[in-house]
Amino acid sequence: MKVQDTPEEWQVVATATPFKGNKTSVRTDDVVMPDGSVHRRDYQVHPGSVAVLALDEEDRVVVLRQYRHPVRQRLWEIPAGLLDVPGENPLHAAQRELYEEAHVKAGDWRVLADVYTTPGGCDEAVRIFLARDLAEAEGARFEVSEEEADMELARVPLPELVRGVLAGELHNNCLVVGVLSLAAARAGEGGLDALRPATAPWPARPFEA
């Protein structure tokens, strides 16, 4: 048996949107179960996101530290952001986020991992890229605001991030998945050259080339 996620959609007999926010909303579906019973499922509807594990020539990862109000913590993260436009090319969005949050550009891009962040309660899909061949971006820095105005930026050796994840000291999901995926890819057959190209299909969030 091949271990692979597969598309499937159970019948929905009623749906409603009790809350609609600026970027996300909450949907309530009445779903038919395999035994024929109907049960209500509430979940967040999300446009999707991209994240970038940017690795420099000294094997350091570009990370930022930002306050996250829902969890009441200041977390170390990798650059990330929403897919603001339906059908937006995720590579273009990732390049934008790396520029805006770190003022960095990259010459080599690969897909590191595709994940659903919390599939039991949210439909958010995230594509995590590996960016290498880093250089300072041209032009003025992007004007940040709100939580990002207090953001710290650093470059941390990859082994230190792996250690922090396994020690329970780092918790941001994109950082955790990104650094562990990179470590696994390096150890796997073909190394980083075996990673998918940056334009690989993404069924969870289809995009235009």
Side-chain angles (χ1 to χ4, degrees):
M1 181 183 69
K2 186 175 183 179
V3 181
Q4 179 178 339
D5 297 335
T6 55
E8 186 170 333
E9 189 168 350
W10 293 0
Q11 182 183 4
V12 175
V13 295
T15 187
T17 305
F19 170 79
K20 189 169 185 179
N22 185 33
K23 296 291 185 181
T24 66
S25 60
V26 173
R27 183 175 297 164
T28 296
D29 289 343
D30 291 341
V31 185
V32 180
M33 300 290 126
D35 64 0
S37 62
V38 176
H39 293 272
R40 182 157 292 174
R41 295 291 179 261
D42 302 317
Y43 58 100
Q44 183 185 22
V45 178
H46 194 284
S49 306
V50 291
V52 185
L53 194 149
L55 189 69
D56 70 13
E57 69 282 354
E58 297 180 37
D59 211 36
R60 300 176 303 175
V61 177
V62 176
V63 292
L64 49 94
R65 192 167 179 245
Q66 185 173 345
Y67 175 68
R68 293 300 188 183
H69 187 70
V71 295
R72 308 303 199 271
Q73 289 196 22
R74 190 181 292 271
L75 301 179
W76 285 104
E77 307 179 351
I78 56 177
L82 297 176
L83 290 168
D84 293 320
V85 181
E88 182 178 16
N89 187 307
L91 174 59
H92 298 165
Q95 292 169 332
R96 179 186 67 237
E97 293 301 330
L98 186 60
Y99 161 73
E100 291 181 356
E101 296 192 347
H103 200 64
V104 167
K105 64 181 181 179
D108 184 84
W109 291 81
R110 303 291 180 99
V111 175
L112 197 51
D114 296 329
V115 297
Y116 291 114
T117 54
T118 48
C122 179
D123 72 350
E124 181 183 14
V126 181
R127 169 157 281 189
I128 303 174
F129 289 92
L130 171 64
R132 294 178 292 172
D133 189 16
L134 306 186
E136 195 78 7
E138 295 93 354
R141 283 187 170 272
F142 182 77
E143 191 75 26
V144 296
S145 61
E146 301 174 6
E147 289 93 344
E148 293 182 351
D150 193 34
M151 201 162 58
E152 302 173 49
L153 198 63
R155 296 194 181 196
V156 178
L158 178 63
E160 175 62 17
L161 294 176
V162 173
R163 185 208 62 78
V165 169
L166 298 179
E169 299 168 356
L170 300 170
H171 308 90
N172 174 265
N173 59 350
C174 291
L175 184 147
V176 170
V177 172
V179 300
L180 296 184
S181 294
L182 178 56
R186 279 182 164 174
E189 185 178 351
L192 299 185
D193 290 336
L195 290 172
R196 287 171 291 161
T199 55
W202 189 18
R205 293 293 185 273
F207 59 91
E208 301 172 1

